[in-house]
Amino acid sequence: MKTTFIPAYDTECAGRCLEACRTIVPLHRELGVPATFFLVTKLLEGAERKPYQELLGQPDFEVGSHTVTHPLLRDHPALNGKGVAWERVVDEVTRSKATIEDAFGRACEGFRSPCGFDDGLAGAPELVELVARTGYTYSSCLGWGPLYTLPVPLYQARTYAELGQPDLWEFPLHGWHENVLKGHNATPARFLLWPPVYPEHHVPGYVKTPEEEFEVLRFFIDKALEQELEYVTPIWHPWSLGKFDPEMKMLRMTFEYVRSRGCAFGTFRELRARRAKSSVAAAAD
Ligand SMILES: [Zn+2]
């Protein structure tokens, strides 16, 4: 199987994310690379609405939900955070989808929770039901390794069939949260799993240059290719990418490398559409 590389961005900070997107988007266009942007929709409520519509409203870009205001939807052991009340969860999940559909004029299929969980949404059946009922066709919320460690192993797609939602897919994220890798968030240094999933993968400290960041990412791209996995997707945040590497050298290196290795590029929406096709084919057999 040809591995698909899915560039995806958690777009969440007023000002700084928009600023970074003004460099990220032209790079994608120059290289002909699609992308999925998971957007905090509060950003669409003011002066940033129009610029985001112009930047992200292109046919080969997908816009998914990253909630309205980026709260924790469940208690979060790694961040020592408490999840918000259920009424707020419902609002964050439903209103963000409606806002994106209104702003971009097409279906918002994907949901990514702030900060992610080590079981995706599996530990919160009521949230699985809510995300499915709201009309999302996939979740991309599994963003931690076992016991809330990093890196996230190259987990592949699965459904929430066991929780009664066979048509809701989960597309896990992979590798390091790049903001953690750079020390951009106050983080306790207790993310490593022992024994590790990938004993040959070493990250001795915070990355200092775009080249070093690329090398970390390359490990996961190579591993996905070696294992002939369906997809690999990094965990990127425009604000953090821009703070570290305003010219987006790492992105350029990554896209050129991915292309040189014969990987395809894609969006989560396309990955999800393949599932719909294969289930139609299976039903016809
Ligand atoms: Zn986020």
Side-chain angles (χ1 to χ4, degrees):
M1 182 194 289
K2 195 174 183 180
T3 302
T4 300
F5 182 88
I6 302 185
Y9 301 90
D10 292 357
T11 310
E12 55 201 23
C13 288
R16 291 188 293 161
C17 276
L18 180 60
E19 184 65 28
C21 282
R22 293 190 197 280
T23 308
I24 292 169
V25 167
L27 180 64
H28 276 264
R29 300 205 75 187
E30 179 196 329
L31 300 178
V33 175
T36 301
F37 293 85
F38 292 102
L39 198 55
V40 162
T41 61
K42 199 163 178 17
L43 303 179
L44 296 175
E45 289 173 12
E48 295 193 353
R49 182 181 175 94
K50 200 158 188 300
Y52 271 121
Q53 283 174 315
E54 285 167 8
L55 283 165
L56 310 187
Q58 321 203 14
D60 52 351
F61 289 164
E62 171 188 10
V63 183
S65 163
H66 198 36
T67 71
V68 179
T69 65
H70 207 269
L72 283 178
L73 302 182
R74 299 165 58 192
D75 293 354
H76 202 291
L79 306 174
N80 283 327
K82 188 114 190 76
V84 293
W86 178 248
E87 300 69 44
R88 172 91 180 275
V89 172
V90 173
D91 182 60
E92 296 278 344
V93 170
T94 55
R95 193 152 55 92
S96 55
K97 185 176 195 294
T99 302
I100 286 167
E101 293 180 346
D102 176 57
F104 295 95
R106 54 181 188 217
C108 169
E109 292 194 37
F111 180 74
R112 175 168 289 178
S113 64
C115 306
F117 302 98
D118 76 345
D119 59 358
L121 301 178
E126 68 289 358
L127 191 50
V128 171
E129 199 273 329
L130 171 66
V131 169
R133 172 161 47 87
T134 305
Y136 292 102
T137 64
Y138 74 87
S139 145
S140 182
C141 298
L142 205 172
W144 293 86
L147 307 172
Y148 283 93
T149 53
L150 293 176
V152 192
L154 289 159
Y155 297 134
Q156 296 291 290
R158 74 265 322 253
T159 72
Y160 287 103
E162 282 179 13
L163 293 171
Q165 301 298 340
D167 293 326
L168 182 68
W169 283 80
E170 172 64 43
F171 295 119
L173 297 65
H174 301 137
W176 290 82
H177 297 216
E178 51 79 31
N179 49 333
V180 169
L181 205 50
K182 297 159 185 165
H184 285 175
N185 288 65
T187 49
R190 56 171 178 82
F191 287 135
L192 296 176
L193 181 71
W194 191 88
V197 176
Y198 304 115
E200 70 277 36
H201 177 61
H202 298 287
V203 181
Y206 293 128
V207 297
K208 298 284 192 303
T209 64
E211 288 77 12
E212 284 180 15
E213 184 179 9
F214 166 68
E215 286 302 323
V216 173
L217 194 52
R218 193 170 79 159
F219 175 87
F220 295 95
I221 297 168
D222 288 348
K223 186 66 82 180
L225 282 162
E226 185 189 307
Q227 297 180 348
E228 299 187 9
L229 299 181
E230 181 185 23
Y231 79 99
V232 56
T233 190
I235 309 170
W236 286 339
H237 310 78
W239 65 267
S240 176
L241 293 169
K243 179 175 172 180
F244 183 73
D245 175 18
E247 292 169 47
M248 305 296 166
K249 285 190 212 155
M250 181 280 292
L251 292 186
R252 183 180 289 277
M253 274 184 267
T254 301
F255 297 154
E256 287 173 351
Y257 180 70
V258 163
R259 188 157 273 158
S260 77
R261 294 294 315 267
C263 264
F265 287 102
T267 60
F268 283 108
R269 182 178 56 198
E270 287 162 0
L271 214 56
R272 179 62 182 81
R274 279 189 220 159
R275 307 291 165 172
K277 271 193 202 129
S278 53
S279 60
V280 168
D285 282 346

